[in-house]
Amino acid sequence: MTPELIADYKCVIGEGPLWHPGEKCVYWTDIPMGRMFRYNPATGAHEQFYDGEVVGGFTIQEDGSLLLFMAKGAIAIWRDGRLEYVYEEIPHERETRFNDVIADPAGRVFCGTMSTADRPARLYRLDVDTQLTEILDDVDISNGMGFTPDRMQMYYTDSPTREIYLFDYNQDTGGITNKRVFVRTPEGGGVPDGMTVDAEGYVWSARWDGSCLVRYSPDGRVDRRIEFPAKKVSSVIFGGEDYTDMYVTTAGGDNKVDEGYGAGALFRINLGIRGVPEFLSRIFLK
């Protein structure tokens, strides 16, 4: 099936699509340009609703607000057109920004950063009481994450290594242990970026500079590959009434000649494969 182009805002780095179950809309961001968008499939309308500080990733909160992970380690709640900061900055993240993030079953958020010229990236966990804990260091680029259907394991992508890892995950504590390689992607086919897990426990990994989505079986075998008219396929999420619509973001909209006519656009594809709702974050200021 050919992916359907839904909206083209020529995003430099279109990223982080998320289905908002309360609004029945899909949200996404253009990271370096500080823009955010939403699309309502019921009406076909889409819009830019945010123009401000860089947003590297975000979650949907239990009350329907957005939790934004930004530059310099800033974390803020976006509600009714206003920002309320959880953290205005993290001192040792002043030279970088957050990248991919994910809420866990308990409402915590795992949030990763980008590396700099003199310091590797990190993965943090933001607990519901707003305590921030460093979970991993010495990461090249912290990227796509997801949970197995039994909530016993967590996937984690480090893009430049071309590896997706699997950890044992403890829902009670938010701890991750026993790191091992789930898949290592081949050279020359792009690098793994954002990801999600479907209802069958298969992993969907976007391939930056690989022009495709790849579906992996729970034992790490390539199950199928979906091609897109954009080199930089950045992330994917399930949505729609029955969670069979897949929304896919791409990057490179500032250079379509080299990156493809679909670069920087939001796509939709429906293969009849069902996803599951993403977990909602529960980070609230007292």
Side-chain angles (χ1 to χ4, degrees):
M1 182 179 292
T2 302
E4 174 190 6
L5 196 157
I6 295 296
D8 188 1
Y9 287 93
K10 299 179 176 60
C11 292
V12 176
I13 303 180
E15 258 285 11
L18 266 184
W19 179 256
H20 194 305
E23 298 180 7
K24 301 188 185 308
C25 294
V26 65
Y27 282 71
W28 72 103
T29 182
D30 182 3
I31 295 177
M33 306 308 292
R35 302 188 297 168
M36 296 186 73
F37 314 93
R38 63 182 156 221
Y39 165 67
N40 183 340
T43 64
H46 51 77
E47 63 175 341
Q48 178 181 336
F49 70 91
Y50 171 92
D51 184 4
E53 297 296 324
V54 165
V55 178
F58 64 98
T59 61
I60 309 296
Q61 292 262 82
E62 193 174 47
D63 69 350
S65 61
L66 305 184
L67 186 65
L68 310 184
F69 292 78
M70 308 165 83
K72 302 180 181 179
I75 304 171
I77 297 169
W78 173 266
R79 183 189 291 111
D80 299 326
R82 300 181 62 184
L83 285 175
E84 183 180 13
Y85 281 88
V86 180
Y87 286 91
E88 293 191 10
E89 68 173 22
I90 301 172
H92 47 273
E93 300 292 349
R94 288 172 180 160
E95 304 304 317
T96 185
R97 63 167 173 82
F98 280 110
N99 197 41
D100 219 329
V101 306
I102 192 172
D104 82 349
R108 313 175 188 94
V109 182
F110 287 90
C111 41
T113 62
M114 300 286 288
S115 60
T116 67
D118 56 2
R119 211 215 63 205
R122 294 185 172 101
L123 177 69
Y124 296 90
R125 188 190 66 236
L126 179 65
D127 292 334
V128 295
D129 63 359
T130 72
Q131 179 177 337
L132 193 66
T133 303
E134 184 180 315
I135 301 298
L136 297 174
D137 59 11
D138 199 23
V139 177
D140 286 323
I141 294 179
S142 187
N143 229 316
M145 291 170 277
F147 296 92
T148 54
D150 62 7
R151 305 182 182 183
M152 299 293 290
Q153 297 171 314
M154 187 180 95
Y155 295 100
Y156 175 75
T157 304
D158 186 355
S159 291
T161 67
R162 307 197 323 276
E163 291 179 333
I164 302 174
Y165 302 106
L166 190 59
F167 288 86
D168 294 337
Y169 161 74
N170 186 317
Q171 182 174 328
D172 292 333
T173 66
I176 58 173
T177 57
N178 189 25
K179 176 183 177 182
R180 61 270 195 199
V181 175
F182 170 62
V183 294
R184 189 167 197 271
T185 63
E187 291 187 30
V191 299
D193 201 328
M195 60 158 286
T196 193
V197 182
D198 65 28
E200 299 175 47
Y202 282 61
V203 171
W204 290 87
S205 174
R207 196 61 61 81
W208 183 274
D209 281 334
S211 304
C212 65
L213 281 177
V214 180
R215 188 192 196 214
Y216 293 99
S217 64
D219 62 1
R221 292 177 294 106
V222 174
D223 174 75
R224 68 179 71 191
R225 188 183 308 265
I226 310 297
E227 301 290 334
F228 285 79
K231 289 182 180 179
K232 292 178 171 58
V233 180
S234 57
S235 195
V236 55
I237 204 71
F238 284 90
E241 292 289 344
D242 59 0
Y243 285 89
T244 60
D245 286 329
M246 300 173 69
Y247 290 97
V248 180
T249 49
T250 62
D254 55 336
N255 183 16
K256 286 178 177 285
V257 172
D258 293 330
E259 298 292 341
Y261 75 82
L266 176 75
F267 289 86
R268 177 172 58 199
I269 188 167
N270 191 309
L271 304 171
I273 295 171
R274 190 179 299 273
V276 293
E278 293 293 309
F279 299 112
L280 302 175
S281 53
R282 299 172 187 161
I283 312 299
F284 298 105
L285 297 175
K286 296 178 181 179

